[in-house]
Amino acid sequence: MPSLEKPEAAGLPVTTTVKWRFPAVHPEGQKFVAIAFGITLLMTIVHNVFFWPLLGLTIWVAAFFRDPIRTTPRGEDLIVSPADGLVTMIADVPVPRELTGELGEGRLTRVSVFMSVFDVHINRAPIAGTIRQVVYISGKFLNADLDKASEDNERQHFVVEGHDGRKVGFTQIAGLVARRIMGFVKVGDMVAAGQRVGLIRFGSRVDVYLPAGYAPQVALGQRAIAGETILGRAGVAPASGVAQ
């Protein structure tokens, strides 16, 4: 995506006009939209009473796989959210055993973002860098809201190493409805902060493990936007919020 900034005579960035537009459907979802639309047409031939409910289902499928453009904040001290959804847990936890080789043993702050079936399900890189680890683990399909889903559910771990040597781990976790975890990157790939790295069908959770020295910049109950919301920042105090 081209930059939205342009230089002014004084050297200061000036934001150009940005217009809202319908998000595109991710290529991974186009076949599902086609299937849903085909079923709609077929059932309409049988009886037209099926048309509107099935058309609504087709629209929902297209919306589920929507892939909006995101503008990612820049900064070597920032970690952005890899997922859209609700911040449901912020906890000090042991490093998952599958990631100790890259993240080391000990405890890190884990920020959990729960994605409902109405959220965007494209996952994005939390920092710019190189993919150092991708680990897929088969498991159960418990409610992704449960804390034990991090250890029991089907999941896929990623570790990204930034250009400054910091490493950020994050995990795609399947849920009650989610039955397919997909990754778009492999070990050794270079990624930009906010770049698309995976997808989960249909509703689930993403955990982010903040490196030592990073404090969460979101509060419980806050909604995060993948590639835009700052989840963690180095050298500052943790953020707090008020539900209202």
Side-chain angles (χ1 to χ4, degrees):
M1 177 184 175
S3 174
L4 296 179
E5 296 180 348
K6 60 182 180 181
E8 197 181 41
L12 298 175
V14 178
T15 303
T16 61
T17 300
V18 178
K19 296 181 179 179
W20 185 89
R21 66 179 183 178
F22 280 103
V25 176
H26 191 272
E28 178 62 28
Q30 291 174 0
K31 58 185 176 183
F32 293 97
V33 176
I35 291 171
F37 187 68
I39 294 174
T40 300
L41 293 179
L42 180 62
M43 294 304 294
T44 301
I45 294 173
V46 176
H47 199 299
N48 60 14
V49 73
F50 295 112
F51 177 75
W52 290 111
L54 291 177
L55 180 62
L57 177 63
T58 301
I59 293 173
W60 175 81
V61 172
F64 178 87
F65 287 104
R66 66 194 185 277
D67 185 13
I69 292 174
R70 297 286 166 78
T71 301
T72 303
R74 297 172 179 173
E76 291 297 323
D77 62 338
L78 305 180
I79 296 174
V80 298
S81 177
D84 284 44
L86 189 70
V87 178
T88 56
M89 284 181 277
I90 301 175
D92 181 52
V93 299
V95 174
R97 59 183 179 277
E98 298 88 2
L99 300 183
T100 54
E102 290 291 338
L103 301 183
E105 298 183 355
R107 302 179 72 87
L108 294 174
T109 299
R110 184 187 70 201
V111 180
S112 299
V113 180
F114 177 80
M115 297 178 287
S116 76
V117 294
F118 301 105
D119 287 312
V120 174
H121 277 63
I122 303 295
N123 300 141
R124 296 172 180 259
I127 63 170
T130 304
I131 302 295
R132 293 302 184 196
Q133 188 175 17
V134 180
V135 182
Y136 171 80
I137 302 165
S138 60
K140 302 176 182 178
F141 296 95
L142 304 174
N143 186 344
D145 260 342
L146 300 175
D147 186 50
K148 63 180 180 179
S150 296
E151 299 179 357
D152 294 345
N153 280 24
E154 179 175 323
R155 58 201 181 276
Q156 184 161 238
H157 298 293
F158 297 86
V159 174
V160 186
E161 182 177 6
H163 307 305
D164 56 358
R166 60 179 170 157
K167 293 182 179 180
V168 178
F170 63 102
T171 307
Q172 297 173 303
I173 302 173
L176 281 173
V177 184
R179 297 288 159 164
R180 182 72 189 275
I181 296 176
M182 303 183 65
F184 304 153
V185 294
K186 61 183 184 302
V187 173
D189 285 352
M190 299 283 291
V191 295
Q195 179 178 326
R196 299 161 180 82
V197 297
L199 168 73
I200 312 179
R201 305 196 303 252
F202 283 92
S204 44
R205 179 176 127 198
V206 172
D207 287 346
V208 183
Y209 296 89
L210 304 182
Y214 279 75
Q217 297 302 292
V218 290
L220 290 175
Q222 182 177 336
R223 292 199 60 79
I225 299 176
E228 293 190 351
T229 300
I230 298 172
L231 284 192
R233 188 191 294 264
V236 299
S240 59
V242 178
Q244 55 187 334

